[in-house]
Amino acid sequence: MPWRLLRFALNKKHPEPRMFTFHEKLKPSYDVVIIGGGGHGLSAAYYLAREHGITNVCVLEKGYIGGGNTGRNTTIIRSNYLTPEGVQFYDESVRLWQDLSEDFDLNLFYANRGHFTLAHTDSALRTMRWRAEVNKHYGVASEVVGPEVVKEAAPMIDITCAGHSPILGALYHAPGSVARHDAVAWGYGRGADQRGVEIHQQTEVLGIDVEGGKVKGVRTSKGYISTGKVLCAVAGSTPRILKMVDVKSPIYIHPLQAMVSEPVKPWLDPILVSGSLHVYISQSARGELVMGASLDPYELHGTRSTLDFVEGLTSHMLEMFPFLSNVKVMRQWAGMADMTPDFAPVMGKTPVDGFYLDSGWGTWGFKATPVCGKTMAHTIATDTAHPLITGFSLDRFRNYALTGEKGAASVGH
Amino acid sequence: MKIMTCPLNGPRPVSEFHYWGEVRPMPDPATASDDTWADYVFNRNGAPGLKKEWWCHTPSNTWFIAERDTEKDVVLKTYFYEGDQ
Ligand SMILES: Cc1cc2nc3c(=O)[nH]c(=O)nc-3n(C[C@H](O)[C@H](O)[C@H](O)COP(=O)(O)OP(=O)(O)OC[C@H]3O[C@@H](n4cnc5c(N)ncnc54)[C@H](O)[C@@H]3O)c2cc1C
């Protein structure tokens, strides 16, 4: 290293710039308190500051930024959903994703790969035709293709799946993409921080004060904050926070697991999902195979991972790609998925004045990170649900008016 | 949890069991209001805790109750249902 460079490095006048400002203490009050420093909470903070000029905001995170489901997901981004509400909402998210790296001046490694949902049965093909028609109606690229198109896009695939679940066709969605998940959290966090939002890590919310049906303040492990507006964006911890404000919901928690293989040479460009075999796979920029399966079979509020999961997933994966039998599994992990009965999220206002909810993100919320922040910021700033999220309100259950999105879930649950 | 104790068959691998959610009293559908019924159909006690749950040992189709800590994933006891207590 040249001597002058070393002198520069040791000079206190040029410290390494940090991504975020460290705040010693909480202020006694904020205009908005955001619970959860995952992608959703940080994105809401960013758009509150950038689009609504509301900067007296703090984000409280009990662990570290992006340490929840934001840093645990398999990063699949797509908009080929089933309901009109879902398609329009996720389509707006995909548009936001496409400009995000420039917006943040941070490379999110957003990679447009194309996404195939494989059909092994006639009934699966039928749902795919339905999805393709709804998608096309809203201008989202989506079409049903034959097995030869799948084979051409992924030549290593055994199109008969070991002879017992032949692939009959697929729903092809050209905009399907992957991105670096932790970078998304940091990008939104840095952008919010630069605009005056305070991010407090290692700060846990322990209680919420409600008086006369209105939010008054938040009790945290670092002291009390008074505020009139709270956003709850805590994914797998949502039922715990709802208990603090005494709001009932249908949200239930099951773990969702994933794993990666050792890195191998690039051989798989598209993202492949098989509902019938309960597996999905993509190859990361580093060459690792990123793989997931369906939800764990019972309620659990923890992030342990299991051998059952690896055994089940690999046996199905080998039916699709027999040559992977020589590839080693490198890591596995789990996140707590906040599931809903209709596979649509729960967003917007609640029976408690000033308490806003961004939840029910289950196994599908990473792709929605940008649009959730944007629509929740609007909802908080104007105290009116953004038009894109009215189909996702908590009220829909009381009114028996569900938003049935299960047919677009990535793998059978 | 890797092993669960079926009241009929004794300790078995958990993969042989099917989870069917918390034991919840059903309001009378003939007299319940729409709100009460919606609450029963959709809402759940989603927070972690010690819960009484329905489980089934699928190879023998044996339904029973398990008391389980849903945060630590520890089963405290399993027994047959004997009416609402
Ligand atoms: C294995 C797996 C694979 C997935 N794959 C995909 C995928 O391919 N595509 C997709 O779109 N989605 C996927 N998802 C879903 C997606 O990851 C989530 O829906 C999304 O990341 C939720 O983001 P979030 O910011 O709302 O929550 P999180 O990132 O979980 O953030 C919530 C934060 O709140 C904090 N918190 C909780 N309680 C408190 C408290 N009391 N006080 C302070 N802070 C608190 C937590 O520490 C956490 O950091 C997957 C999920 C998992 C688990």
Side-chain angles (χ1 to χ4, degrees):
Chain A
M1 188 193 288
W3 168 237
R4 275 176 34 188
L5 191 61
L6 187 66
R7 237 179 42 195
F8 180 78
L10 295 174
N11 188 332
K12 286 211 176 69
K13 268 195 246 158
H14 303 282
E16 170 76 5
R18 308 294 304 180
M19 282 293 273
F20 312 104
T21 319
F22 176 74
H23 301 278
E24 196 77 47
K25 275 192 179 147
L26 288 166
K27 289 196 281 185
S29 81
Y30 295 90
D31 295 339
V32 181
V33 171
I34 297 176
I35 315 176
H40 287 220
L42 293 165
S43 162
Y46 176 83
Y47 291 110
L48 269 175
R50 202 187 79 171
E51 298 197 347
H52 303 277
I54 301 177
T55 56
N56 185 22
V57 175
C58 72
V59 178
L60 307 179
E61 167 53 53
K62 74 172 174 188
Y64 58 93
I65 283 176
N69 290 355
T70 297
R72 294 165 189 268
N73 66 75
T74 44
T75 79
I76 299 171
I77 297 164
R78 61 187 176 92
S79 58
N80 57 350
Y81 276 73
L82 185 59
T83 65
E85 294 86 350
V87 175
Q88 295 175 81
F89 179 78
Y90 292 108
D91 184 38
E92 173 65 13
S93 208
V94 169
R95 281 170 215 273
L96 290 169
W97 274 110
Q98 286 163 352
D99 300 329
L100 221 48
S101 289
E102 269 192 51
D103 207 0
F104 293 161
D105 194 18
L106 182 71
N107 193 349
L108 302 182
F109 288 80
Y110 185 86
N112 184 196
R113 300 287 195 82
H115 180 283
F116 288 91
T117 313
L118 306 177
H120 307 256
T121 61
D122 281 340
S123 64
L125 261 183
R126 241 182 344 260
T127 315
M128 284 172 192
R129 287 205 189 90
W130 176 10
R131 272 168 76 182
E133 291 312 313
V134 177
N135 292 171
K136 281 187 265 185
H137 183 72
Y138 289 102
V140 168
S142 189
E143 58 182 319
V144 176
V145 297
E148 67 292 345
V149 179
V150 178
K151 183 74 184 169
E152 203 186 321
M156 307 301 275
I157 202 164
D158 173 359
I159 213 80
T160 73
C161 292
H164 56 73
S165 346
I167 294 167
L168 306 180
L171 182 67
Y172 177 60
H173 177 51
S177 301
V178 288
R180 237 181 85 199
H181 42 26
D182 39 9
V184 178
W186 295 340
Y188 274 122
R190 184 174 69 177
D193 176 87
Q194 284 167 346
R195 290 170 175 82
V197 170
E198 292 185 5
I199 299 170
H200 291 263
Q201 303 187 72
Q202 307 287 318
T203 307
E204 183 172 3
V205 170
L206 304 172
I208 299 170
D209 277 358
V210 178
E211 263 176 50
K214 276 193 172 142
V215 167
K216 287 284 173 232
V218 176
R219 273 175 281 135
T220 82
S221 56
K222 301 265 173 79
Y224 188 81
I225 305 169
S226 46
T227 184
K229 291 187 173 187
V230 169
L231 170 65
C232 170
V234 297
S237 299
T238 304
R240 302 180 205 224
I241 302 285
L242 288 181
K243 212 172 159 184
M244 297 175 187
V245 289
D246 205 15
V247 168
K248 284 187 176 178
S249 90
I251 294 172
Y252 61 98
I253 308 297
H254 284 220
L256 180 69
Q257 305 192 44
M259 67 184 200
V260 294
S261 74
E262 61 184 330
V264 291
K265 280 185 183 171
W267 63 274
L268 181 67
D269 192 41
I271 305 155
L272 297 182
V273 179
S274 164
S276 306
L277 300 182
H278 304 282
V279 293
Y280 57 92
I281 181 169
S282 69
Q283 188 169 22
S284 77
R286 281 189 301 226
E288 298 157 341
L289 302 172
V290 181
M291 296 172 276
S294 33
L295 271 184
D296 274 19
Y298 59 89
E299 176 182 338
L300 182 64
H301 301 260
T303 53
R304 60 97 179 91
S305 47
T306 63
L307 183 61
D308 282 4
F309 159 76
V310 181
E311 281 179 342
L313 170 50
T314 47
S315 70
H316 286 309
M317 200 54 80
L318 290 178
E319 290 171 343
M320 261 161 63
F321 296 111
F323 83 104
L324 289 182
S325 59
N326 292 321
V327 174
K328 293 185 183 65
V329 173
M330 201 163 64
R331 292 192 304 279
Q332 64 174 120
W333 65 91
M336 292 187 286
D338 41 333
M339 303 299 293
T340 64
D342 56 3
F343 287 68
V346 177
M347 296 178 79
K349 297 177 65 170
T350 67
V352 176
D353 220 8
F355 182 80
Y356 304 90
L357 199 52
D358 172 23
S359 66
W361 283 112
T363 66
W364 54 86
F366 175 68
K367 64 180 73 62
T369 305
V371 73
C372 283
K374 200 169 171 163
T375 53
M376 287 313 299
H378 171 101
T379 305
I380 295 166
T382 62
D383 197 36
T384 324
H386 187 283
L388 277 176
I389 66 169
T390 49
F392 305 141
S393 76
L394 180 59
D395 278 358
R396 72 178 184 272
F397 299 101
R398 208 186 61 205
N399 301 331
Y400 300 87
L402 272 55
T403 302
E405 203 63 272
K406 188 166 183 180
S410 60
V411 290
H413 287 291
Chain B
M1 177 180 49
K2 291 186 178 136
I3 305 280
M4 185 144 198
T5 304
C6 169
L8 187 67
N9 301 286
R12 304 292 308 164
V14 72
S15 58
E16 289 184 8
F17 293 86
H18 188 67
Y19 162 80
W20 203 246
E22 199 172 3
V23 177
R24 303 178 309 131
M26 184 174 78
D28 178 0
T31 57
S33 68
D34 285 355
D35 273 2
T36 311
W37 190 249
D39 178 50
Y40 169 70
V41 172
F42 298 116
N43 288 339
R44 293 292 178 272
N45 162 22
L50 192 62
K51 297 188 183 175
K52 265 192 203 178
E53 302 167 329
W54 282 111
W55 284 78
C56 179
H57 179 246
T58 43
S60 62
N61 198 23
T62 307
W63 287 90
F64 61 95
I65 311 256
E67 288 184 14
R68 189 170 67 96
D69 181 329
T70 63
E71 194 165 11
K72 303 204 182 90
D73 202 15
V74 175
V75 177
L76 301 171
K77 47 180 167 173
T78 54
Y79 48 88
F80 286 120
Y81 177 73
E82 285 176 355
D84 291 320
Q85 287 123 9

